[in-house]
Amino acid sequence: MKHAFTKIISTLGPATSSYEMIKLLAQAGVNVFRLNFSHGDIAGHRKNVRFIRRVEKELKTKLGILCDLQGPKLRIGTFEKGSVSLKAGQVFTVDLQNKPGDETRVYLPHPEVFQVMKKNMIILLNDGAIGLRIDDFTDSFARATVLNDGILSDHKGFNVPNVMLPIRALTDKDEADLKEILQMDINWIGLSFVQHPDDVRHARELIKDKAAIMVKLEKPSALDYLEEIVDLADGVMVARGDLGVECPLEQVPALQKKIVAVCRQKGKPVVIATQMLESMIQNPLPTRAEVSDIATAVYDGVDCVMLSGETAVGRYPIQAVSMMSRIIQQTEQDPFYRIHLESEKLEESKSVAGSISGSIDHILKTLPNPALVVTYSMSGATTFRIARERPSVPILALVGNEKIAHKATVLWGTIPVVCKTPKTMMEVIKQAQKQAKKMELATVKDQLVITAGYPFVGAGNTNMLHVHTIEE
């Protein structure tokens, strides 16, 4: 059975929140389901978790669940008539008066923004569609010049580019949601609005080891601490939506490349998100540019590509996943794919485990029939190290529990399987051969490159490598 190396994350929403749709999405190629806590309620998300686990058992596969916290949502208030038409050059005021706005002013219910206000600072409204340049201000209002024509309506979002706002990444709503989420059978927490490493540390204090943290990089201020934030995170999402509002759009591709490169070096799974097949929300086929966008991410060796509105509210959710899967598989079959991956030189790790992981691809190239890399890992650390190397064959991850298996669902090229703790290396080999045959990942005379750590009950002590040829 052919497995894609690059994983697919699919967002659930009104279009797909049913057992039948979740099963179809999984069959079409979804590896991880995203529950967006900006929408819906706890009861609905809890029901989707139950559906996912039911589908997982029926399809006999591992499906990850990513719970994406809303984070602070900076929005303006309302207007007397629901919307206003703004003209370039006119004066417009934002203030702390909690009453409907008009063509001259609007309520900005975030006093923190006034604390960091500066003359000539730019505020962007409605996903960047309208810009305001601050002319003068106090601690309760700011008078600005409108930079371009546009329609502004109730509760539109606003952004303050290149400014670190004195706002926590976790709101009261997020913390309340977290208490509910951590009682569910979920695996990853998506952390929004990260501006500083302390945002990740605070989240870790609350989440502890109950779930892995996927930091969403959407604020330019976070990029000033990129390496430290990646070190603190379990995984990273390049959230191009807000990033493309707060940074000039032409800078986003280079920032994406930079973030992916840092994550690859540090062995942290990286996800590319936002508008990957946006046109398929309404259309049965994507644009050529969208196809190229996905292929570019795959060529760069990202762990996952993600669908948002395409599967949450779109008219063609199954077709969108199928299209993404086809693009991934076609790209990974291109000989240039391996050439491009191998051209990325990773720093060698100064450890036994790192040396074993770093040598895997060289060993694969010397074998006549390499089929799989098999990792036996109590903590999953070895699997993460091997995935960092992007070997030329899939990774069969034999792990000791469901928690580690589900965490590994985001990892490039990794097929996680829960197995019994072995007592001898021969038991590891037998389990590897059994699972490889059962899952049709290898056959007689194929070779398995097996890594493990002895003693087997420990964690993080990979110190063995064995090449096994599958027997009858």
Side-chain angles (χ1 to χ4, degrees):
M1 185 184 296
K2 181 69 175 176
H3 284 262
F5 291 96
T6 310
K7 303 295 186 71
I8 296 175
I9 300 177
S10 168
T11 304
L12 295 180
T16 46
S17 291
S18 69
Y19 168 76
E20 292 77 17
M21 288 299 294
I22 291 170
K23 183 176 180 181
L24 288 171
L25 289 169
Q27 290 173 322
V30 172
N31 307 100
V32 178
F33 287 95
R34 172 177 173 252
L35 308 181
N36 186 358
F37 280 73
S38 295
H39 305 285
D41 55 30
I42 293 294
H45 292 309
R46 189 179 287 116
K47 183 170 67 173
N48 278 333
V49 170
R50 291 196 298 267
F51 287 154
I52 294 165
R53 292 297 173 232
R54 183 177 156 197
V55 168
E56 178 181 70
K57 289 181 180 178
E58 186 168 338
L59 298 184
K60 297 180 181 178
T61 187
K62 296 299 175 192
L63 298 171
I65 301 177
L66 165 66
C67 294
D68 199 339
L69 298 174
Q70 177 175 303
K73 288 298 178 186
L74 307 183
R75 298 187 184 279
I76 60 172
T78 62
F79 293 95
E80 292 174 356
K81 298 179 181 179
S83 66
V84 295
S85 177
L86 301 182
K87 300 294 182 182
Q90 81 171 78
V91 175
F92 190 73
T93 299
V94 294
D95 58 44
L96 291 176
Q97 297 183 61
N98 187 6
K99 61 182 183 179
D102 53 28
E103 285 79 3
T104 65
R105 61 157 295 277
V106 73
Y107 176 41
L108 190 65
H110 299 280
E112 302 92 344
V113 175
F114 295 93
Q115 296 174 22
V116 295
M117 201 75 77
K118 294 181 180 179
K119 189 172 182 178
N120 296 322
M121 189 171 84
I122 302 297
I123 290 180
L124 300 176
L125 303 170
N126 192 14
D127 291 335
I130 298 174
L132 303 178
R133 185 185 65 242
I134 303 301
D135 297 324
D136 60 90
F137 60 93
T138 69
D139 58 2
S140 62
F141 85 95
R143 188 176 294 109
T145 298
V146 177
L147 299 180
N148 56 286
D149 296 357
I151 303 295
L152 189 60
S153 57
D154 294 348
H155 302 302
K156 287 299 181 183
F158 75 90
N159 298 77
V160 189
N162 303 314
V163 174
M164 183 174 290
L165 298 173
I167 297 175
R168 294 187 309 143
L170 287 171
T171 65
D172 292 342
K173 176 188 183 302
D174 295 328
E175 293 194 8
D177 286 344
L178 258 182
K179 289 180 181 178
E180 299 289 342
I181 289 168
L182 295 177
Q183 295 177 37
M184 302 180 200
D185 185 8
I186 60 87
N187 320 116
W188 287 85
I189 302 293
L191 187 61
S192 302
F193 211 87
V194 171
Q195 300 184 92
H196 188 275
D198 286 344
D199 293 327
V200 189
R201 293 188 183 97
H202 175 58
R204 184 74 71 187
E205 289 174 3
L206 298 177
I207 297 167
K208 297 183 170 60
D209 63 349
K210 295 177 182 176
I213 296 177
M214 178 79 70
V215 167
K216 296 170 65 179
L217 291 179
E218 52 194 351
K219 303 288 291 180
S221 53
L223 302 179
D224 294 335
Y225 307 94
L226 179 58
E227 294 207 12
E228 187 177 355
I229 286 173
V230 173
D231 284 336
L232 291 168
D234 297 302
V236 170
M237 181 186 295
V238 186
R240 302 182 301 182
D242 281 324
L243 196 59
V245 172
E246 300 220 359
C247 299
L249 281 173
E250 63 273 18
Q251 292 182 12
V252 173
L255 292 174
Q256 175 176 317
K257 294 271 189 183
K258 179 180 180 180
I259 295 166
V260 170
V262 170
C263 291
R264 286 284 319 278
Q265 285 289 351
K266 293 180 176 293
K268 298 295 177 75
V270 58
V271 179
I272 302 298
T274 317
Q275 296 181 330
M276 301 215 79
L277 289 175
E278 184 84 354
S279 68
M280 288 192 74
I281 292 176
Q282 297 294 336
N283 303 311
L285 290 174
T287 67
R288 277 57 173 170
E290 289 167 339
V291 173
S292 292
D293 181 39
I294 293 170
T296 297
V298 175
Y299 279 121
D300 286 346
V302 303
D303 292 81
C304 306
V305 284
M306 192 176 97
L307 296 168
S308 299
E310 300 94 332
T311 54
V313 297
R315 295 173 60 188
Y316 303 97
I318 307 303
Q319 293 91 327
V321 173
S322 296
M323 176 58 68
M324 182 170 268
S325 181
R326 284 160 51 195
I327 297 166
I328 290 170
Q329 292 189 42
Q330 187 66 45
T331 305
E332 291 177 350
Q333 290 169 18
D334 179 7
F336 182 70
Y337 174 64
R338 287 303 314 171
I339 294 171
H340 189 71
L341 281 185
E342 292 172 8
S343 68
E344 178 105 17
K345 297 298 181 185
L346 301 180
E347 294 178 10
E348 295 182 2
S349 173
K350 305 296 184 182
S351 67
V352 173
S355 297
I356 289 174
S357 302
S359 67
I360 290 292
D361 212 42
H362 176 72
I363 293 169
L364 291 170
K365 288 176 181 177
T366 65
L367 297 175
N369 298 304
L372 282 176
V373 175
V374 181
T375 61
Y376 177 78
S377 178
M378 291 290 292
S379 67
T382 300
T383 308
F384 275 68
R385 287 193 194 95
I386 298 292
R388 170 187 183 262
E389 303 299 326
R390 303 299 193 251
S392 56
V393 297
I395 303 161
L396 177 61
L398 302 180
V399 298
N401 60 63
E402 296 284 344
K403 180 180 177 181
I404 301 300
H406 284 129
K407 182 180 177 181
T409 53
V410 303
L411 278 182
W412 182 96
T414 300
I415 305 160
V417 175
V418 177
C419 67
K420 296 178 180 179
T421 302
K423 295 180 180 178
T424 66
M425 189 62 184
M426 185 53 66
E427 287 185 21
V428 174
I429 294 168
K430 286 181 178 179
Q431 287 192 43
Q433 177 169 297
K434 177 183 176 181
Q435 292 294 338
K437 284 183 173 181
K438 179 181 176 181
M439 302 178 74
E440 299 179 10
L441 297 169
T443 187
V444 176
K445 296 186 179 179
D446 282 345
Q447 275 127 2
L448 310 179
V449 178
I450 303 171
T451 68
Y454 184 84
F456 299 113
V457 293
N461 63 340
T462 300
N463 54 16
M464 301 174 68
L465 188 148
H466 177 84
V467 177
H468 174 71
T469 301
I470 291 185
E471 303 161 346
E472 292 285 359

PDB file of all heavy atoms in Angstrom, residues 294-310:
ATOM      1  N   ILE A 294       0.712  24.135  -2.966  1.00  0.00           N
ATOM      2  CA  ILE A 294       0.805  22.877  -2.217  1.00  0.00           C
ATOM      3  C   ILE A 294       2.066  22.122  -2.608  1.00  0.00           C
ATOM      4  O   ILE A 294       2.814  21.629  -1.748  1.00  0.00           O
ATOM      5  CB  ILE A 294      -0.440  22.010  -2.451  1.00  0.00           C
ATOM      6  CG1 ILE A 294      -1.669  22.686  -1.839  1.00  0.00           C
ATOM      7  CG2 ILE A 294      -0.257  20.609  -1.852  1.00  0.00           C
ATOM      8  CD1 ILE A 294      -2.983  22.039  -2.218  1.00  0.00           C
ATOM      9  N   ALA A 295       2.321  22.035  -3.908  1.00  0.00           N
ATOM     10  CA  ALA A 295       3.511  21.311  -4.380  1.00  0.00           C
ATOM     11  C   ALA A 295       4.787  21.935  -3.826  1.00  0.00           C
ATOM     12  O   ALA A 295       5.722  21.225  -3.424  1.00  0.00           O
ATOM     13  CB  ALA A 295       3.543  21.288  -5.904  1.00  0.00           C
ATOM     14  N   THR A 296       4.845  23.261  -3.775  1.00  0.00           N
ATOM     15  CA  THR A 296       6.031  23.949  -3.240  1.00  0.00           C
ATOM     16  C   THR A 296       6.270  23.572  -1.780  1.00  0.00           C
ATOM     17  O   THR A 296       7.401  23.313  -1.365  1.00  0.00           O
ATOM     18  CB  THR A 296       5.865  25.473  -3.362  1.00  0.00           C
ATOM     19  OG1 THR A 296       5.777  25.815  -4.753  1.00  0.00           O
ATOM     20  CG2 THR A 296       7.037  26.210  -2.730  1.00  0.00           C
ATOM     21  N   ALA A 297       5.182  23.525  -0.991  1.00  0.00           N
ATOM     22  CA  ALA A 297       5.316  23.125   0.412  1.00  0.00           C
ATOM     23  C   ALA A 297       5.824  21.687   0.520  1.00  0.00           C
ATOM     24  O   ALA A 297       6.669  21.377   1.374  1.00  0.00           O
ATOM     25  CB  ALA A 297       3.971  23.271   1.117  1.00  0.00           C
ATOM     26  N   VAL A 298       5.318  20.810  -0.343  1.00  0.00           N
ATOM     27  CA  VAL A 298       5.754  19.409  -0.331  1.00  0.00           C
ATOM     28  C   VAL A 298       7.227  19.314  -0.721  1.00  0.00           C
ATOM     29  O   VAL A 298       8.013  18.610  -0.066  1.00  0.00           O
ATOM     30  CB  VAL A 298       4.876  18.559  -1.266  1.00  0.00           C
ATOM     31  CG1 VAL A 298       5.411  17.129  -1.356  1.00  0.00           C
ATOM     32  CG2 VAL A 298       3.426  18.553  -0.781  1.00  0.00           C
ATOM     33  N   TYR A 299       7.635  20.020  -1.769  1.00  0.00           N
ATOM     34  CA  TYR A 299       9.044  20.021  -2.175  1.00  0.00           C
ATOM     35  C   TYR A 299       9.954  20.496  -1.035  1.00  0.00           C
ATOM     36  O   TYR A 299      11.074  20.011  -0.875  1.00  0.00           O
ATOM     37  CB  TYR A 299       9.256  20.922  -3.393  1.00  0.00           C
ATOM     38  CG  TYR A 299       8.898  20.300  -4.717  1.00  0.00           C
ATOM     39  CD1 TYR A 299       7.934  20.879  -5.540  1.00  0.00           C
ATOM     40  CD2 TYR A 299       9.535  19.140  -5.162  1.00  0.00           C
ATOM     41  CE1 TYR A 299       7.607  20.328  -6.773  1.00  0.00           C
ATOM     42  CE2 TYR A 299       9.211  18.567  -6.389  1.00  0.00           C
ATOM     43  CZ  TYR A 299       8.240  19.163  -7.197  1.00  0.00           C
ATOM     44  OH  TYR A 299       7.922  18.602  -8.402  1.00  0.00           O
ATOM     45  N   ASP A 300       9.446  21.438  -0.243  1.00  0.00           N
ATOM     46  CA  ASP A 300      10.249  21.967   0.861  1.00  0.00           C
ATOM     47  C   ASP A 300      10.333  21.005   2.042  1.00  0.00           C
ATOM     48  O   ASP A 300      11.055  21.261   3.005  1.00  0.00           O
ATOM     49  CB  ASP A 300       9.678  23.306   1.335  1.00  0.00           C
ATOM     50  CG  ASP A 300       9.969  24.436   0.359  1.00  0.00           C
ATOM     51  OD1 ASP A 300      10.816  24.254  -0.531  1.00  0.00           O
ATOM     52  OD2 ASP A 300       9.341  25.505   0.495  1.00  0.00           O
ATOM     53  N   GLY A 301       9.568  19.908   1.989  1.00  0.00           N
ATOM     54  CA  GLY A 301       9.660  18.891   3.025  1.00  0.00           C
ATOM     55  C   GLY A 301       8.873  19.188   4.278  1.00  0.00           C
ATOM     56  O   GLY A 301       9.235  18.725   5.371  1.00  0.00           O
ATOM     57  N   VAL A 302       7.775  19.947   4.164  1.00  0.00           N
ATOM     58  CA  VAL A 302       6.966  20.202   5.361  1.00  0.00           C
ATOM     59  C   VAL A 302       6.303  18.903   5.811  1.00  0.00           C
ATOM     60  O   VAL A 302       6.127  17.966   5.029  1.00  0.00           O
ATOM     61  CB  VAL A 302       5.891  21.288   5.104  1.00  0.00           C
ATOM     62  CG1 VAL A 302       6.538  22.573   4.619  1.00  0.00           C
ATOM     63  CG2 VAL A 302       4.828  20.818   4.129  1.00  0.00           C
ATOM     64  N   ASP A 303       5.934  18.860   7.079  1.00  0.00           N
ATOM     65  CA  ASP A 303       5.286  17.654   7.609  1.00  0.00           C
ATOM     66  C   ASP A 303       3.826  17.570   7.191  1.00  0.00           C
ATOM     67  O   ASP A 303       3.341  16.483   6.863  1.00  0.00           O
ATOM     68  CB  ASP A 303       5.376  17.646   9.138  1.00  0.00           C
ATOM     69  CG  ASP A 303       6.798  17.469   9.624  1.00  0.00           C
ATOM     70  OD1 ASP A 303       7.537  18.469   9.656  1.00  0.00           O
ATOM     71  OD2 ASP A 303       7.186  16.336   9.962  1.00  0.00           O
ATOM     72  N   CYS A 304       3.129  18.700   7.222  1.00  0.00           N
ATOM     73  CA  CYS A 304       1.688  18.702   6.947  1.00  0.00           C
ATOM     74  C   CYS A 304       1.294  19.916   6.121  1.00  0.00           C
ATOM     75  O   CYS A 304       1.885  20.997   6.254  1.00  0.00           O
ATOM     76  CB  CYS A 304       0.868  18.752   8.235  1.00  0.00           C
ATOM     77  SG  CYS A 304       1.213  17.498   9.452  1.00  0.00           S
ATOM     78  N   VAL A 305       0.265  19.737   5.330  1.00  0.00           N
ATOM     79  CA  VAL A 305      -0.434  20.851   4.696  1.00  0.00           C
ATOM     80  C   VAL A 305      -1.871  20.813   5.217  1.00  0.00           C
ATOM     81  O   VAL A 305      -2.417  19.747   5.489  1.00  0.00           O
ATOM     82  CB  VAL A 305      -0.386  20.773   3.158  1.00  0.00           C
ATOM     83  CG1 VAL A 305       0.978  21.179   2.654  1.00  0.00           C
ATOM     84  CG2 VAL A 305      -0.728  19.377   2.657  1.00  0.00           C
ATOM     85  N   MET A 306      -2.493  21.999   5.351  1.00  0.00           N
ATOM     86  CA  MET A 306      -3.763  22.065   6.065  1.00  0.00           C
ATOM     87  C   MET A 306      -4.868  22.711   5.249  1.00  0.00           C
ATOM     88  O   MET A 306      -4.636  23.665   4.499  1.00  0.00           O
ATOM     89  CB  MET A 306      -3.580  22.851   7.376  1.00  0.00           C
ATOM     90  CG  MET A 306      -4.761  22.725   8.325  1.00  0.00           C
ATOM     91  SD  MET A 306      -4.455  23.578   9.887  1.00  0.00           S
ATOM     92  CE  MET A 306      -5.275  25.132   9.568  1.00  0.00           C
ATOM     93  N   LEU A 307      -6.066  22.182   5.407  1.00  0.00           N
ATOM     94  CA  LEU A 307      -7.271  22.754   4.825  1.00  0.00           C
ATOM     95  C   LEU A 307      -8.106  23.373   5.928  1.00  0.00           C
ATOM     96  O   LEU A 307      -8.287  22.772   6.987  1.00  0.00           O
ATOM     97  CB  LEU A 307      -8.079  21.675   4.099  1.00  0.00           C
ATOM     98  CG  LEU A 307      -7.389  21.034   2.884  1.00  0.00           C
ATOM     99  CD1 LEU A 307      -8.156  19.800   2.428  1.00  0.00           C
ATOM    100  CD2 LEU A 307      -7.256  22.036   1.746  1.00  0.00           C
ATOM    101  N   SER A 308      -8.633  24.564   5.684  1.00  0.00           N
ATOM    102  CA  SER A 308      -9.449  25.264   6.685  1.00  0.00           C
ATOM    103  C   SER A 308     -10.896  25.346   6.220  1.00  0.00           C
ATOM    104  O   SER A 308     -11.652  24.396   6.352  1.00  0.00           O
ATOM    105  CB  SER A 308      -8.865  26.661   6.948  1.00  0.00           C
ATOM    106  OG  SER A 308      -7.557  26.566   7.458  1.00  0.00           O
ATOM    107  N   GLY A 309     -11.265  26.492   5.616  1.00  0.00           N
ATOM    108  CA  GLY A 309     -12.631  26.651   5.142  1.00  0.00           C
ATOM    109  C   GLY A 309     -13.025  25.647   4.079  1.00  0.00           C
ATOM    110  O   GLY A 309     -14.202  25.315   3.921  1.00  0.00           O
ATOM    111  N   GLU A 310     -12.029  25.128   3.364  1.00  0.00           N
ATOM    112  CA  GLU A 310     -12.313  24.172   2.285  1.00  0.00           C
ATOM    113  C   GLU A 310     -13.095  22.964   2.793  1.00  0.00           C
ATOM    114  O   GLU A 310     -13.976  22.448   2.107  1.00  0.00           O
ATOM    115  CB  GLU A 310     -10.994  23.689   1.644  1.00  0.00           C
ATOM    116  CG  GLU A 310     -10.141  24.793   1.036  1.00  0.00           C
ATOM    117  CD  GLU A 310      -9.091  25.318   2.002  1.00  0.00           C
ATOM    118  OE1 GLU A 310      -9.317  25.256   3.232  1.00  0.00           O
ATOM    119  OE2 GLU A 310      -8.052  25.803   1.521  1.00  0.00           O
TER     120      GLU A 310
END
